[in-house]
Amino acid sequence: MNARPRLLSRAILTALAVVISLAFLAPVLWLLASTFRSATETFASSSPLSWHVLWPQDWTLDNLRSAIDSGFLSALGNSLAVAAATVVVGLVVSSAAAFALAVIPFRGRGAVFTVVVLSFLIPFEAIAIPLSRIISDWGLANTLVALILPGLGNGLAVFTLRQFFLGIPLSLSEAAHLDGAGWFRIYWSIYLPLTRPALIGAGLILFLFQWQAYLWPILITSTQAMDLAPVAIAKSFGAFSSDYGRVFAETAILAVIPAAILLGLQRFFVTSVSSTGSKE
């Protein structure tokens, strides 16, 4: 007798979960559908609402061709280069800092960690303008280096890695010390191999920070050749007219790449995030 109400409640919860998932998925489906139809059809199908909102009547690749012809792939390549360099160099910087804060005893370690935490609590917009002036004074404006630098010292990535390092028994580093290993050897040979999920999670944080960057590229670059993908999309809007079909196509391309990466690496990301509650 108790099995039927349990099955009924499970069915209701499952149906509710499906409805909520579709509600979150609907804007994504609308974006993807708008990529493969004309802008006229996109807005015409929105009023009155019909199933054609999520399924084009006349499929076309004109929007993708327009995006390619406009030079969007060059901006996308810039975004990929900046994000990849940030992930590689940023992981080295963040993991080394996290290792020092988690394993190496030194005076003022708690104060330094407090500064790291505050660094990712302060909105980047609050420091973007003075930081752009400093970078410009260094003569780095309109360079890939200027686009990459702000993403290297990511406090959230340092925090994530530090909390993961704290979960590794100190007895491992103590045993390595007794065998004559230095701090770099312990960091490189013991801690890094054990922290692959955390490194992937921190890498995703660094990647997404750069992938969605908009304000910083506008402040530090002024040439079209250095445009990142979000800036290129913004420039698609003209003063008097806009090619909305092209905008939909470019936005879809920009969204699909990180979505595919997140779906492929989600288990590592979840593992790294769950480890941030580790003990001191």
Side-chain angles (χ1 to χ4, degrees), residues 190-210:
I190 297 177
Y191 275 76
L192 283 187
L194 294 175
T195 56
R196 186 177 67 166
L199 288 172
I200 293 176
L204 288 173
I205 293 172
L206 294 169
F207 178 84
L208 292 176
F209 174 82
Q210 290 288 33

Side-chain angles (χ1 to χ4, degrees), residues 10-34:
R10 182 178 298 177
I12 293 174
L13 290 175
T14 301
L16 183 61
V18 170
V19 171
I20 294 174
S21 299
L22 289 176
F24 279 101
L25 193 60
V28 178
L29 295 176
W30 178 78
L31 174 64
L32 293 176
S34 300

Side-chain angles (χ1 to χ4, degrees), residues 21 24 26 30 38 51-52 70 117 149 153 156 174 178 189 200 204 218 232 271:
S21 299
F24 279 101
W30 178 78
S38 65
W51 67 276
H52 288 299
S70 68
V117 173
L149 276 178
L156 183 56
E174 292 171 353
L178 291 176
S189 301
I200 293 176
L204 288 173
I218 287 180
T271 301

Side-chain angles (χ1 to χ4, degrees), residues 56-141:
Q57 288 179 297
D58 300 314
W59 291 77
T60 179
L61 296 176
D62 290 344
N63 296 331
L64 291 173
R65 295 192 190 99
S66 178
I68 294 173
D69 293 340
S70 68
F72 179 71
L73 291 184
S74 175
L76 188 66
N78 289 340
S79 288
L80 287 171
V82 169
T86 300
V87 170
V88 173
V89 181
L91 280 180
V92 174
V93 174
S94 298
S95 61
F99 175 78
L101 291 172
V103 183
I104 302 177
F106 62 90
R107 182 175 299 178
R109 186 171 66 172
V112 174
F113 177 65
T114 301
V115 173
V116 170
V117 173
L118 290 176
S119 70
F120 67 82
L121 295 179
I122 299 174
F124 180 74
E125 291 78 6
I127 62 172
I129 293 178
L131 185 61
S132 67
R133 295 190 62 179
I134 294 174
I135 297 296
S136 297
D137 291 341
W138 289 350
L140 296 176

Side-chain angles (χ1 to χ4, degrees), residues 175-188:
H177 262 309
L178 291 176
D179 290 337
W183 287 120
F184 179 79
R185 180 70 180 274
I186 295 172
Y187 158 74
W188 187 260

